[in-house]
Coordinates of all heavy atoms in Angstrom, one line a residue:
L1 N 9.7 171.9 155.8 CA 9.7 173.1 155.0 C 8.9 174.1 155.6 O 8.0 173.9 156.4 CB 9.0 172.7 153.6 CG 9.8 171.9 152.6 CD1 8.9 171.6 151.5 CD2 11.1 172.7 152.0
R2 N 9.2 175.4 155.3 CA 8.3 176.5 155.6 C 7.9 177.2 154.5 O 8.7 177.9 153.7 CB 9.1 177.5 156.6 CG 8.2 178.6 157.2 CD 8.9 179.4 158.3 NE 9.6 180.5 157.7 CZ 9.7 181.7 158.2 NH1 9.2 181.9 159.5 NH2 10.4 182.6 157.7
L3 N 6.5 177.3 154.4 CA 5.9 178.1 153.3 C 5.6 179.4 153.8 O 5.2 179.6 154.9 CB 4.6 177.4 152.8 CG 4.7 176.0 152.4 CD1 3.4 175.4 151.9 CD2 5.9 175.7 151.3
S4 N 5.8 180.5 152.9 CA 5.4 181.8 153.1 C 4.4 182.3 152.1 O 4.5 181.9 150.9 CB 6.6 182.7 153.1 OG 7.6 182.3 154.0
C5 N 3.5 183.2 152.5 CA 2.6 183.8 151.6 C 2.5 185.3 151.9 O 2.0 185.7 153.0 CB 1.2 183.2 151.7 SG 0.0 184.1 150.8
K6 N 3.0 186.1 151.0 CA 3.0 187.6 151.2 C 1.8 188.1 150.4 O 1.7 187.9 149.2 CB 4.3 188.2 150.7 CG 4.5 189.7 151.0 CD 5.8 190.1 150.8 CE 5.8 191.7 151.1 NZ 5.5 192.1 152.6
A7 N 1.0 188.9 151.1 CA -0.1 189.6 150.5 C 0.1 191.0 150.3 O 0.9 191.7 151.0 CB -1.3 189.4 151.5
S8 N -0.5 191.5 149.2 CA -0.5 193.0 148.8 C -1.9 193.3 148.3 O -2.6 192.5 147.7 CB 0.6 193.3 148.0 OG 0.5 192.7 146.8
G9 N -2.2 194.6 148.6 CA -3.5 195.1 148.0 C -4.7 194.8 148.8 O -5.8 195.1 148.4
I10 N -4.5 194.3 150.1 CA -5.6 194.0 150.9 C -5.2 194.5 152.4 O -4.1 194.7 152.7 CB -6.0 192.5 151.1 CG1 -4.8 191.7 151.6 CG2 -6.5 192.0 149.7 CD1 -5.2 190.2 151.9
S11 N -6.2 194.7 153.2 CA -6.0 195.1 154.6 C -5.8 193.7 155.3 O -6.7 193.2 155.9 CB -7.2 195.8 155.2 OG -7.1 196.1 156.6
F12 N -4.5 193.3 155.3 CA -4.1 192.0 155.6 C -4.6 191.6 157.0 O -5.1 190.5 157.2 CB -2.5 191.8 155.6 CG -2.0 190.5 155.9 CD1 -2.1 189.4 155.0 CD2 -1.5 190.2 157.2 CE1 -1.6 188.2 155.3 CE2 -1.1 189.0 157.6 CZ -1.1 188.0 156.6
S13 N -4.4 192.4 158.0 CA -4.8 192.2 159.3 C -6.2 191.8 159.6 O -6.7 191.2 160.6 CB -4.3 193.3 160.3 OG -5.0 194.5 160.0
S14 N -7.1 192.3 158.7 CA -8.5 192.0 158.8 C -9.0 190.7 158.2 O -10.1 190.2 158.4 CB -9.3 193.1 158.0 OG -9.1 194.4 158.7
Y15 N -8.1 190.1 157.4 CA -8.4 188.8 156.7 C -8.0 187.6 157.5 O -7.0 187.5 158.2 CB -7.7 188.7 155.4 CG -8.3 189.5 154.3 CD1 -8.4 191.0 154.4 CD2 -9.1 188.9 153.3 CE1 -9.1 191.7 153.3 CE2 -9.7 189.6 152.3 CZ -9.6 191.0 152.3 OH -10.3 191.7 151.3
A16 N -8.8 186.6 157.4 CA -8.5 185.2 157.9 C -7.7 184.6 156.7 O -8.0 184.9 155.6 CB -9.8 184.3 158.0
M17 N -6.7 183.9 157.1 CA -5.7 183.4 156.2 C -5.7 181.9 156.2 O -5.8 181.3 157.3 CB -4.3 183.9 156.4 CG -4.1 185.4 156.3 SD -4.6 186.1 154.7 CE -3.4 185.3 153.6
G18 N -5.6 181.2 155.1 CA -5.6 179.8 155.2 C -4.6 179.2 154.2 O -4.2 179.9 153.2
W19 N -4.1 178.0 154.5 CA -3.4 177.2 153.5 C -4.2 176.0 153.1 O -4.8 175.2 154.0 CB -2.1 176.7 154.2 CG -1.1 177.8 154.4 CD1 -0.8 178.5 155.5 CD2 -0.1 178.2 153.3 NE1 0.2 179.4 155.1 CE2 0.7 179.2 153.9 CE3 0.1 177.9 152.0 CZ2 1.7 180.0 153.2 CZ3 1.1 178.5 151.3 CH2 1.8 179.6 151.9
Y20 N -4.3 175.8 151.8 CA -5.0 174.6 151.2 C -4.0 173.9 150.4 O -2.9 174.3 150.0 CB -6.2 175.1 150.3 CG -7.3 175.7 151.1 CD1 -7.3 177.0 151.6 CD2 -8.5 175.0 151.2 CE1 -8.3 177.6 152.3 CE2 -9.6 175.6 151.8 CZ -9.5 176.8 152.4 OH -10.6 177.5 153.1
R21 N -4.3 172.6 150.1 CA -3.5 171.8 149.2 C -4.4 171.0 148.2 O -5.5 170.7 148.6 CB -2.5 171.0 150.0 CG -3.1 169.8 150.8 CD -2.1 169.1 151.6 NE -2.7 168.0 152.4 CZ -2.1 167.4 153.3 NH1 -0.8 167.7 153.6 NH2 -2.7 166.4 154.0
Q22 N -3.7 170.7 147.1 CA -4.5 169.8 146.2 C -3.4 168.9 145.6 O -2.5 169.3 145.0 CB -5.1 170.6 145.0 CG -5.9 169.9 144.1 CD -6.9 170.8 143.2 OE1 -6.6 171.9 143.1 NE2 -7.9 170.1 142.7
A23 N -3.7 167.6 145.8 CA -2.9 166.6 145.3 C -3.4 166.0 143.9 O -4.7 166.2 143.7 CB -2.8 165.3 146.2
P24 N -2.6 165.6 143.1 CA -3.2 165.1 141.7 C -4.4 164.1 141.9 O -4.3 163.2 142.8 CB -2.0 164.3 141.2 CG -0.8 164.9 141.8 CD -1.2 165.3 143.2
G25 N -5.5 164.5 141.1 CA -6.6 163.6 141.2 C -7.6 163.8 142.4 O -8.5 163.1 142.5
K26 N -7.2 164.7 143.3 CA -7.9 164.9 144.5 C -8.5 166.3 144.5 O -8.0 167.3 143.9 CB -7.1 164.7 145.7 CG -6.6 163.2 145.9 CD -6.0 162.9 147.2 CE -5.6 161.5 147.3 NZ -5.0 161.2 148.7
Q27 N -9.5 166.5 145.5 CA -10.1 167.9 145.7 C -9.2 168.8 146.5 O -8.3 168.2 147.3 CB -11.4 167.8 146.3 CG -12.5 167.2 145.4 CD -13.9 167.3 145.9 OE1 -14.1 167.3 147.2 NE2 -14.9 167.6 145.1
R28 N -9.2 170.1 146.3 CA -8.5 170.9 147.2 C -9.1 170.8 148.6 O -10.2 170.8 148.8 CB -8.6 172.4 146.7 CG -7.7 173.4 147.3 CD -7.7 174.7 146.7 NE -7.3 174.7 145.3 CZ -7.1 175.8 144.5 NH1 -7.3 177.0 145.1 NH2 -6.7 175.6 143.3
E29 N -8.2 170.9 149.6 CA -8.6 170.7 151.0 C -7.9 171.7 151.8 O -6.7 172.0 151.6 CB -8.3 169.2 151.5 CG -6.8 168.9 151.6 CD -6.5 167.5 152.1 OE1 -7.3 166.8 152.6 OE2 -5.3 167.1 152.1
L30 N -8.6 172.0 153.0 CA -8.0 172.9 153.9 C -6.9 172.2 154.7 O -7.2 171.1 155.2 CB -9.1 173.5 154.9 CG -8.6 174.3 156.0 CD1 -8.1 175.7 155.5 CD2 -9.7 174.6 157.0
V31 N -5.7 172.8 154.9 CA -4.7 172.2 155.6 C -4.7 173.0 157.0 O -4.7 172.3 158.1 CB -3.4 172.5 154.9 CG1 -2.2 172.1 155.9 CG2 -3.3 171.8 153.7
A32 N -4.7 174.3 157.0 CA -4.7 175.1 158.3 C -5.2 176.4 158.0 O -5.1 176.9 156.9 CB -3.2 175.2 158.8
A33 N -5.7 177.1 159.1 CA -6.2 178.4 158.9 C -5.9 179.3 160.2 O -5.8 178.7 161.2 CB -7.8 178.4 158.6
I34 N -5.9 180.6 160.0 CA -5.7 181.4 161.1 C -6.6 182.6 160.9 O -6.7 183.3 159.9 CB -4.2 181.8 161.3 CG1 -4.1 182.7 162.6 CG2 -3.7 182.5 160.1 CD1 -2.5 182.8 163.0
T35 N -7.4 183.0 162.1 CA -8.2 184.1 162.0 C -7.5 185.4 162.1 O -6.4 185.4 162.4 CB -9.3 184.1 163.1 OG1 -8.8 184.2 164.3 CG2 -10.1 182.7 163.0
S36 N -8.2 186.5 161.9 CA -7.6 187.8 162.1 C -7.2 188.0 163.6 O -6.2 188.6 163.9 CB -8.5 188.9 161.7 OG -9.7 188.8 162.4
G37 N -7.8 187.3 164.4 CA -7.5 187.4 165.9 C -6.4 186.4 166.4 O -6.0 186.4 167.6
G38 N -6.1 185.5 165.4 CA -4.9 184.6 165.8 C -5.3 183.2 166.1 O -4.5 182.3 166.5
R39 N -6.6 182.9 166.1 CA -7.1 181.5 166.3 C -6.8 180.7 165.1 O -6.9 181.0 164.0 CB -8.6 181.5 166.7 CG -9.0 182.1 168.0 CD -10.4 182.0 168.2 NE -11.1 182.8 167.3 CZ -12.5 182.8 167.1 NH1 -13.2 182.1 167.9 NH2 -13.0 183.6 166.3
T40 N -6.3 179.5 165.5 CA -6.0 178.5 164.4 C -6.8 177.3 164.4 O -7.4 176.9 165.4 CB -4.4 178.1 164.6 OG1 -4.3 177.5 165.9 CG2 -3.6 179.3 164.6

């Protein structure tokens, strides 16, 4: 699957972006992140 997240109302290129997930009964956890400079 490919997930997409479209942002509006922010200076997108300045923001670090991340994907988190939360399964039933579990805490939300970081899956992946990318900095404004492209580091992952």
Side-chain angles (χ1 to χ4, degrees):
L1 284 174
R2 188 175 84 151
L3 305 183
S4 300
C5 171
K6 185 169 178 60
S8 59
I10 60 172
S11 179
F12 180 81
S13 61
S14 297
Y15 279 73
M17 300 299 297
W19 286 98
Y20 290 72
R21 68 186 180 188
Q22 188 166 19
K26 295 188 176 181
Q27 289 190 328
R28 190 173 297 189
E29 64 175 357
L30 175 67
V31 176
I34 184 166
T35 69
S36 58
R39 287 180 296 172
T40 60

